[in-house]
Amino acid sequence: DVKVTQSSRYLVKRTGEKVFLECVQDMDHENMFWYRQDPGLGLRLIYFSYDVKMKEKGDIPEGYSVSREKKERFSLILESASTNQTSMYLCASSERGVRQPQHFGDGTRLSIL
Amino acid sequence: TQLLEQSPQFLSIQEGENLTVYCNSSSVFSSLQWYRQEPGEGPVLLVTVVTGGEVKKLKRLTFQFGDARKDSSLHITAAQPGDTGLYLCAGGGSTSYGKLTFGQGTILTVHP
């Protein structure tokens, strides 16, 4: 069965801290994605990666960066956390090609105090 | 930027009732996917529709892709409490990167 694993279910950090969210997939997928989910706003794409070391900005990349050094791992970095980055963060992966479904992790609920 | 407007945002109904969720855009999508998300979990794919006018059925759920591939609907017949959850539509682009544009979601609550 396909599996996307996010390192933490809940995380509490302080304003100004550098925060790392980790995601690992075991399906050998080329594409990986980071979203944030807020009530009434659906899923908004932060960054995605279509290959190792390759990345592209999504719709809301400001304040975030990403790293993909290995195919199975995609990291989201909050360079200097702010309270408006308190949210649910979802990682997903998919095979290359149009119309491929995305497989999601269970999310990390991040609170910035 | 492609946008998908999903409605209604909230739906609270009694067991046995029928319901329809709509997903509309001014943009053309190569595919339209529907996901369901339960509390504490990530979204899970229900169906993908790719052809204008296509209709797919999944037990009591019927999915339709508009003729112009700009809109889609999800109809649930005789809803059950187990259908409770967040339903998300997502439009696919034409590149192999697999990017999706998500609607805002519909929170469905089915009361016994």
Side-chain angles (χ1 to χ4, degrees), chain B residues 66-90:
Chain B
D67 291 340
R69 291 186 288 130
K70 292 183 180 181
D71 56 270
S72 181
S73 63
L74 157 60
H75 182 79
I76 301 180
T77 304
Q80 298 177 2
D83 296 326
T84 294
L86 173 67
Y87 290 81
L88 293 157
C89 62

Side-chain angles (χ1 to χ4, degrees), chain A residues 15 37 75 79 111:
Chain A
T15 303
Q37 182 175 31
S75 303
E79 297 291 343
S111 296

Side-chain angles (χ1 to χ4, degrees), chain A:
Chain A
D1 202 8
V2 298
K3 191 102 177 130
V4 177
T5 303
Q6 294 185 228
S7 54
S8 305
R9 293 298 300 269
Y10 300 94
L11 209 51
V12 180
K13 296 291 182 182
R14 297 215 170 266
T15 303
E17 281 192 69
K18 192 168 185 175
V19 181
F20 293 85
L21 302 183
E22 307 286 344
C23 175
V24 176
Q25 51 100 357
D26 65 358
M27 296 162 283
D28 202 35
H29 284 169
E30 289 83 4
N31 300 329
M32 295 190 75
F33 308 84
W34 274 108
Y35 296 91
R36 64 177 283 176
Q37 182 175 31
D38 300 288
L41 297 178
L43 273 63
R44 292 181 292 167
L45 182 64
I46 304 171
Y47 266 97
F48 71 100
S49 169
Y50 51 91
D51 205 344
V52 175
K53 297 190 187 294
M54 305 304 289
K55 61 187 180 186
E56 285 209 11
K57 293 179 180 179
D59 300 318
I60 51 165
E62 296 78 19
Y64 304 94
S65 62
V66 290
S67 173
R68 193 167 180 201
E69 296 297 317
K70 294 186 178 182
K71 191 175 185 181
E72 67 271 18
R73 187 179 296 271
F74 193 33
S75 303
L76 179 69
I77 304 150
L78 284 67
E79 297 291 343
S80 177
S82 63
T83 54
N84 62 12
Q85 292 178 309
T86 290
S87 186
M88 170 69 82
Y89 289 87
L90 287 165
C91 175
S93 70
S94 75
E95 293 182 44
R96 183 164 291 155
V98 298
R99 303 166 186 168
Q100 295 297 325
Q102 293 189 8
H103 301 270
F104 287 84
D106 287 337
T108 295
R109 185 163 293 283
L110 175 65
S111 296
I112 307 295
L113 305 179

Side-chain angles (χ1 to χ4, degrees), chain B residues 34-100:
Chain B
W34 285 91
Y35 291 80
R36 181 170 156 224
Q37 183 179 17
E38 299 195 30
E41 299 181 6
V44 176
L45 179 74
L46 294 172
V47 77
T48 301
V49 285
V50 300
T51 306
E54 182 176 3
V55 176
K56 277 192 175 178
K57 295 197 175 194
L58 192 65
K59 296 183 181 177
R60 293 174 294 99
L61 279 61
T62 301
F63 304 86
Q64 185 161 9
F65 202 10
D67 291 340
R69 291 186 288 130
K70 292 183 180 181
D71 56 270
S72 181
S73 63
L74 157 60
H75 182 79
I76 301 180
T77 304
Q80 298 177 2
D83 296 326
T84 294
L86 173 67
Y87 290 81
L88 293 157
C89 62
S94 55
T95 71
S96 64
Y97 297 154
K99 279 179 60 179
L100 295 174

